[in-house]
Amino acid sequence: MALVSACSLSIIPEGTARGAPAEDGQWTAGPPSSPEPARNPVWQAPVSQTAGTFEVVTSDQVTPVSDDDTRATGVGVALGPDISSLNLQSGKARAALQSFRTSCSSLVRRTDNSGLTQGEDWRQSCDAASGWPDSDARSFFESYFEAVQVGDGKAFATGYFEPQIQGSRMRTNGSQVPIYKRPSNLLDVNLGEFSDALKDKRIRGKVEGTRLVPFEERAQIDDGALQGRGLELAWASDYIEFFFLQIQGSGRVAMPDGSVMRIGYDGQNGRDYTGIGRVMRERGLLADGKTNMQGIIEWLRANPEEGRKIMRENKSYIFFRELTGPGPLGAMGHPVVGRTSVAADRKFVPLGAPVFLDMEHNIADGIWIAQDTGGAIKGANRFDTFWGAGEEAAQIAGGMSSRGQALIFLPKGSVAKLLQSQQGN
């Protein structure tokens, strides 16, 4: 740790897969602890009158099964309500089964950082999913899973989407903002390979001589630090649009000839992420009702010089690759699906697991599949819901900031197995 500090390299949670829902997880200006939901001038999230429809297990009934409170087993688990009692809407259950099926190839062989399961625990449900009829998806989840509460079960959810911006494959007068590929000298170091005390920790940087040093920050890259290396994947027409596409971690670039290039996350420079919405709010720059995506962009356009300086305060910078198949891709390497995929903290949710949300904004209610991660999506019951592409997706994601309750669906018998392991220790 002293070495890491001396190098001034940020420690990055393992598996950060997208920009920021890879890096931030929300368009809204407020931090995850903000008590007020985001306001959107175009789209208003419907507020549920029945949020909290299932009973939350009290804290004295939630049992920690390890001493490590940085993951699910340490904050405690408890058996939740029977899945048949939950409102599993047929359409969402069908979509969730399809995404769960997609994730199975990774789910059964990956290490579960949460400590809740082993890969083989999922084998039975994954084998069944391969031939289960989508029309009876609700019965699938009822048959193979149990609802589990992690910690106090109190959830906070934001939203992200796949934006589309204007650009060109070649630099033109109208497209001057480079979209860079991952530099070959950007190194990703798993510190857990060097010390058990640094398990699940990574740093990113570059080698200079015999030293590992920080990679260039956003301002340096903007000023041309990567020019002349042939790293330009394409060129964006608008710096602000591209800045926010980086926050989302993937997107589409609409070309002058009508074609569309899809780009996906391919690395980050290792610098700490700073949410500019929070900075602007703390400085009193955003008026009431203007603390969401639209309000932030409106201010940046009205104050271009100061806005550029504020954007540079976010030293994090995202690199991309062109996607030619389905996408965008989540942290599992599989396509994320609008209104079905959700980002979660892999230390509290097994990636690939079904998640049930019951939120104040009831558009987020129902079953999701945890297929992604994010730099700001940290802690128990913190989620970032994916809404797809297009204007409606942008509006919903921009206004999604909601509290409620969460359950994780684990293979039947998981809680008993965990409690038994604790008693054995």
Side-chain angles (χ1 to χ4, degrees):
M1 290 298 291
L3 171 64
V4 174
S5 176
C7 289
S8 301
L9 294 171
S10 60
I11 296 181
I12 303 167
E14 181 182 6
T16 300
R18 49 194 173 83
E23 297 306 310
D24 186 39
Q26 57 179 337
W27 282 92
T28 55
S33 59
S34 172
E36 295 296 328
R39 302 297 184 192
N40 190 296
V42 179
W43 177 84
Q44 183 66 48
V47 178
S48 173
Q49 301 302 314
T50 58
T53 53
F54 59 82
E55 184 176 351
V56 175
V57 178
T58 59
S59 58
D60 61 339
Q61 295 173 295
V62 179
T63 305
V65 293
S66 78
D67 296 328
D68 184 0
D69 62 3
T70 67
R71 61 191 68 236
T73 50
V75 300
V77 295
L79 194 61
D82 193 282
I83 290 178
S84 62
S85 69
L86 302 175
N87 181 23
L88 295 190
Q89 301 173 8
S90 297
K92 281 193 71 76
R94 182 167 56 250
L97 172 56
Q98 293 168 353
S99 286
F100 176 79
R101 190 182 292 134
T102 299
S103 297
C104 271
S105 61
S106 300
L107 183 57
V108 296
R109 56 183 172 81
R110 69 182 300 115
T111 299
D112 179 2
N113 299 70
S114 72
L116 295 173
T117 64
Q118 302 293 324
E120 277 301 311
D121 295 341
W122 300 89
R123 180 74 64 182
Q124 186 178 16
S125 58
C126 281
D127 287 347
S130 64
W132 199 277
D134 291 345
S135 59
D136 194 25
R138 181 185 176 108
S139 294
F140 168 75
F141 292 107
E142 292 174 356
S143 299
Y144 287 93
F145 298 96
E146 60 189 20
V148 177
Q149 179 180 310
V150 173
D152 61 11
K154 295 179 181 179
F156 180 76
T158 47
Y160 71 107
F161 72 105
E162 184 183 21
Q164 179 166 302
I165 64 174
Q166 299 296 313
S168 174
R169 288 185 181 271
M170 304 296 293
R171 187 174 188 174
T172 67
N173 289 335
S175 299
Q176 296 282 323
V177 182
I179 300 173
Y180 285 122
K181 296 183 289 187
R182 181 187 178 110
S184 60
N185 65 332
L186 174 61
L187 302 180
D188 193 342
V189 181
N190 182 357
L191 296 176
E193 295 179 355
F194 298 86
S195 169
D196 290 341
L198 297 175
K199 183 180 179 181
D200 299 331
K201 303 296 184 184
R202 293 178 181 266
I203 56 173
R204 296 189 182 107
K206 64 178 183 178
V207 173
E208 285 188 357
T210 60
R211 299 174 58 237
L212 182 64
V213 299
F215 201 82
E216 284 80 1
E217 62 183 65
R218 173 176 297 277
Q220 294 170 308
I221 295 173
D222 283 350
D223 289 340
L226 301 182
Q227 284 182 3
R229 296 176 55 180
L231 296 173
E232 293 84 0
L233 183 66
W235 301 83
S237 300
D238 186 276
Y239 183 88
I240 295 174
E241 287 186 354
F242 179 58
F243 177 87
F244 283 105
L245 186 149
Q246 286 190 300
I247 292 178
Q248 297 301 298
S250 64
R252 307 178 182 194
V253 184
M255 305 299 177
D257 62 2
S259 64
V260 174
M261 173 192 283
R262 299 187 73 175
I263 57 175
Y265 176 92
D266 197 27
Q268 184 256 5
N269 64 345
R271 299 287 189 152
D272 289 339
Y273 176 83
T274 298
I276 67 165
R278 187 177 305 174
V279 171
M280 295 166 72
R281 188 185 64 172
E282 291 173 350
R283 296 176 185 175
L285 301 177
L286 299 173
D288 291 342
K290 295 289 187 178
T291 60
N292 60 357
M293 173 186 69
Q294 290 81 4
I296 293 171
I297 292 177
E298 181 180 314
W299 190 94
L300 293 173
R301 295 204 183 283
N303 303 271
E305 185 174 347
E306 188 174 356
R308 187 67 172 241
K309 293 178 181 178
I310 288 176
M311 285 186 281
R312 286 180 168 220
E313 292 188 38
N314 175 21
K315 297 180 180 181
S316 172
Y317 195 93
I318 307 303
F319 303 105
F320 295 94
R321 60 189 176 97
E322 183 173 2
L323 301 178
T324 56
L329 302 179
M332 298 185 75
H334 302 299
V336 291
V337 179
R339 300 175 181 258
T340 302
S341 301
V342 66
D345 186 339
R346 69 178 69 213
K347 291 187 178 182
F348 293 89
V349 180
L351 284 190
V355 173
F356 185 83
L357 299 181
D358 184 14
M359 310 302 291
E360 293 168 344
H361 290 172
N362 57 17
I363 195 171
D365 285 357
I367 187 170
W368 300 76
I369 303 298
Q371 294 179 300
D372 213 349
T373 58
I377 313 306
K378 297 303 170 190
N381 305 305
R382 172 71 172 98
F383 300 100
D384 201 27
T385 52
F386 179 60
W387 295 95
E391 183 59 29
E392 183 181 42
Q395 295 294 335
I396 295 174
M400 179 53 60
S401 179
S402 189
R403 299 187 182 279
Q405 299 172 358
L407 296 167
I408 303 171
F409 290 0
L410 299 181
K412 282 190 172 181
S414 293
V415 171
K417 182 178 178 181
L418 288 166
L419 296 179
Q420 184 178 14
S421 68
Q422 187 229 18
Q423 292 170 358
N425 292 332

